[in-house]
Amino acid sequence: MSSNSVRTSLSVGLAAVLLAASVGRMARADAIVGRPPASGLLSPTAGEGTFRHLQALQDIAAASGGNRAAGTIGYDRSAQYVAERLKEAGYTVRFEEFEFPFFEEKSPPVLITSKPDGSQESAPKDALRTLASSGSRDVEARLQAVNLQLTEGSPAASVSGCEGKDFDGFERGAVALVRRGTCQFQVKVDNAVAAGAVGVIIMNEGTDSRTDAFSGVLSNGAAVPVVGVPYEYGRSLAARAGDSVRLAVNAVTGKRSTRNVVADTGLDNKSALIVVGAHLDSVPEGPGINDNGSGSAAVLEAALRLAREPAENRGRMRFAFWGAEERGLIGSRHHVGSLSEDERRQIAVYINLDMVGSPNFGRFVRRATAKQEGLAAIVREEIVTEFRTHDLPFEERTGGRSGSDDASFSQKDIPTVGLYTGASGRKPEKEAELFGGAAGRAYDPCYHRACDTVENINREVLEQHTQALVRALRAAAVASRVPTAPVPEAAGLPESKQ
């Protein structure tokens, strides 16, 4: 997409007017909702400032139907709140508008199995999740398992449904049961539909943390109903292969408009550009305070603190708050795709924060490649030094998170560094020994649920990550103004195996 397509540069004052006038679901933001809560502190700590932003986002969700999902008034109000704070701090703020595929369920999905004796059994309500952009249909057909490779012990990684040959002998008109893993959901669904499936059930993989109910997105949509189920429930369905099942999804799809919020320091374009980002949207199921109000609040607070620095120490920075991440990284992909090749080359590093307040946390520092140079190496070094200075254990991981916005940048060969404290996966025993918390329990038990509120935040770990970000940005800002030598790799904790 060209840089002239939908990149609309607006002042925040004009943005408020456009919010009121925009069509469709781009609703006017209530001037009362989303103001920073009164604190009584003239200069709150980084953690206090970050948490105040989370309280504001919680208030916005509560006044907007319970969520801040892209394309809703809750998201528009969140974007206005962030833009106003940045404008007040002196940043040049613009909105980048774009369209995204919208998907909304009108009622919960249905999965009913029919037994040979004629009795029927419905899937537990909490075991069934519709994949976004699923087809909206009600079908009844025989269930057929597809290359599940289930064993008595722990299962191996799954390739179920990733190849067309997996469906050799598949009965046209059946509902396909496949296992999550290796390839994208869309690939499995496309192969199933090509083989004649009228519906698709994706069971969780059963490896490591992939056992529970899960949500997902079909990047290109589907004409048939598609749902996800937990691993153990999937095993029970596999035992009933050949029985009749009813699978129903009732949803509407279409296109809606939303926006990124982008703030620049306004300095010349001769220095290397540092981009810091977090997705601002929630899932429709809840207010999304940890996912990803926490990352957005930390980035916002860092921006506000850096705005107080002398101008010569701020460097050339861009703070970005992405829309429609939960719909498939659409906002960040739009931004990167709308940049010219020369503009992309100016980005020295992208720093991503996605969930940095998980209650049963880990401290994960992620980089796209094992070897980093220049500002990316400085950012990483300052983050891990901040953690070491306060005797805070951390774990480094290599490889971009395909489910977060750093992937949009790393796919264009832009160096990335990410901070993350864990989502729905279960914390292993070794990490419980390292970080504390409960082994065998999710890092965030409220991931993608209505209970993801301010009560779901570990305020200490939130502050630690905000402080680490501020430290890294200060160092990178100074370094970006002068030539830098390569930063040596620091001796840290062993690299985590993916």
Side-chain angles (χ1 to χ4, degrees):
M1 193 175 295
S2 72
S3 60
N4 294 325
S5 56
V6 288
R7 297 178 63 202
T8 308
S9 295
L10 302 169
S11 70
V12 175
L14 177 59
V17 175
L18 290 179
L19 273 170
S22 56
V23 297
R25 295 293 298 274
M26 302 292 283
R28 181 179 65 85
D30 188 329
I32 298 175
V33 175
R35 300 301 301 175
S39 166
L41 294 173
L42 295 178
S43 181
T45 67
E48 289 168 336
T50 305
F51 194 74
R52 288 172 62 191
H53 302 314
L54 287 184
Q55 289 177 312
L57 295 177
Q58 174 77 66
D59 291 343
I60 287 170
S64 308
N67 70 67
R68 302 179 302 101
T72 69
I73 190 172
Y75 181 81
D76 294 339
R77 287 168 166 169
S78 299
Q80 182 176 343
Y81 170 82
V82 169
E84 287 177 349
R85 303 289 81 72
L86 292 166
K87 180 66 175 179
E88 290 166 357
Y91 287 97
T92 301
V93 181
R94 70 181 186 272
F95 291 131
E96 291 181 344
E97 297 189 30
F98 57 91
E99 287 189 332
F100 69 98
F102 185 79
F103 176 83
E104 183 177 29
E105 287 190 87
K106 309 304 290 184
S107 59
V110 174
L111 176 58
I112 300 174
T113 56
S114 297
K115 298 180 180 180
D117 63 4
S119 63
Q120 294 185 328
E121 183 177 63
S122 297
K125 184 179 297 186
D126 60 354
L128 199 58
R129 303 269 181 92
T130 303
L131 271 68
S133 298
S134 160
S136 180
R137 290 180 61 185
D138 189 332
V139 301
E140 188 167 352
R142 282 163 48 89
L143 180 67
Q144 187 165 345
V146 177
N147 191 26
L148 298 181
Q149 296 181 315
L150 300 178
T151 61
E152 289 300 323
S154 298
S158 167
V159 295
S160 169
C162 292
E163 301 286 344
K165 64 182 180 181
D166 290 344
F167 293 87
D168 288 350
F170 187 82
E171 176 186 345
R172 298 189 69 85
V175 171
L177 175 64
V178 299
R179 187 156 68 98
R180 181 185 187 183
T182 302
C183 61
Q184 295 181 342
F185 297 133
Q186 187 73 55
V187 173
K188 297 176 187 287
V189 173
D190 286 348
N191 287 335
V193 171
V198 296
V200 181
I201 302 170
I202 304 176
M203 62 182 284
N204 215 340
E205 191 171 21
T207 58
D208 298 327
S209 59
R210 290 185 166 186
T211 56
D212 297 336
F214 64 95
S215 302
V217 178
L218 297 174
S219 54
N220 297 322
V224 303
V226 183
V227 299
V229 299
Y231 174 71
E232 287 299 335
Y233 185 71
R235 287 186 69 101
S236 71
L237 289 177
R240 300 179 188 176
D243 290 351
S244 177
V245 298
R246 178 189 168 206
L247 177 61
V249 170
N250 180 17
V252 293
T253 59
K255 293 281 188 179
R256 287 191 180 176
S257 295
T258 191
R259 59 195 61 186
N260 297 325
V261 183
V262 180
D264 289 295
T265 55
L267 296 180
D268 61 58
N269 60 2
K270 296 179 182 179
S271 303
L273 176 61
I274 302 162
V275 182
V276 193
H279 77 84
L280 185 58
D281 62 315
S282 75
V283 293
E285 289 82 1
I289 299 304
N290 188 35
D291 183 18
N292 183 38
S294 62
S296 293
V299 172
L300 177 57
E301 183 63 19
L304 300 185
R305 288 180 175 271
L306 288 171
R308 305 169 194 164
E309 301 280 337
E312 61 272 16
N313 291 344
R314 294 180 202 162
R316 183 180 171 215
M317 291 195 187
R318 174 171 298 159
F319 296 91
F321 301 82
W322 310 119
E325 186 269 0
E326 297 289 2
R327 300 294 181 179
L329 316 183
I330 297 175
S332 58
R333 285 177 174 167
H334 166 78
H335 177 80
V336 175
S338 65
L339 299 176
S340 68
E341 188 60 35
D342 182 63
E343 288 172 319
R344 285 198 288 266
R345 280 197 297 265
Q346 293 178 33
I347 302 175
V349 60
Y350 171 68
I351 308 167
N352 191 66
L353 277 76
D354 192 351
M355 302 180 65
V356 291
S358 304
N360 192 29
F361 65 90
R363 291 185 198 86
F364 305 114
V365 181
R366 185 177 290 273
R367 43 186 169 159
T369 58
K371 183 177 178 58
Q372 290 184 319
E373 298 178 346
L375 289 180
I378 290 172
V379 166
R380 170 199 160 272
E381 173 65 16
E382 292 296 326
I383 288 171
V384 301
T385 299
E386 173 70 15
F387 288 155
R388 288 196 184 104
T389 298
H390 299 284
D391 296 321
L392 301 174
F394 62 92
E395 182 177 290
E396 294 200 71
R397 295 182 171 182
T398 302
R401 292 180 61 213
S402 60
S404 196
D405 293 298
D406 47 358
S408 301
F409 288 81
S410 63
Q411 288 167 1
K412 297 295 184 180
D413 297 322
I414 297 170
T416 64
V417 177
L419 290 175
Y420 171 62
T421 58
S424 61
R426 296 181 183 274
K427 177 182 282 188
E429 185 67 41
K430 65 177 182 179
E431 289 183 9
E433 294 174 359
L434 181 64
F435 302 120
R441 296 185 59 184
Y443 300 101
D444 181 356
C446 289
Y447 176 70
H448 284 188
R449 297 174 60 192
C451 59
D452 187 10
T453 67
V454 290
E455 301 300 323
N456 188 46
I457 293 292
N458 184 305
R459 295 185 63 170
E460 288 186 6
V461 78
L462 177 67
E463 178 165 19
Q464 291 160 5
H465 283 75
T466 304
Q467 293 280 28
L469 176 63
V470 170
R471 173 176 179 149
L473 292 180
R474 282 175 173 155
V478 173
S480 69
R481 310 291 286 175
V482 296
T484 59
V487 175
E489 292 289 319
L493 296 177
E495 198 74 45
S496 174
K497 294 183 179 179
Q498 301 302 301

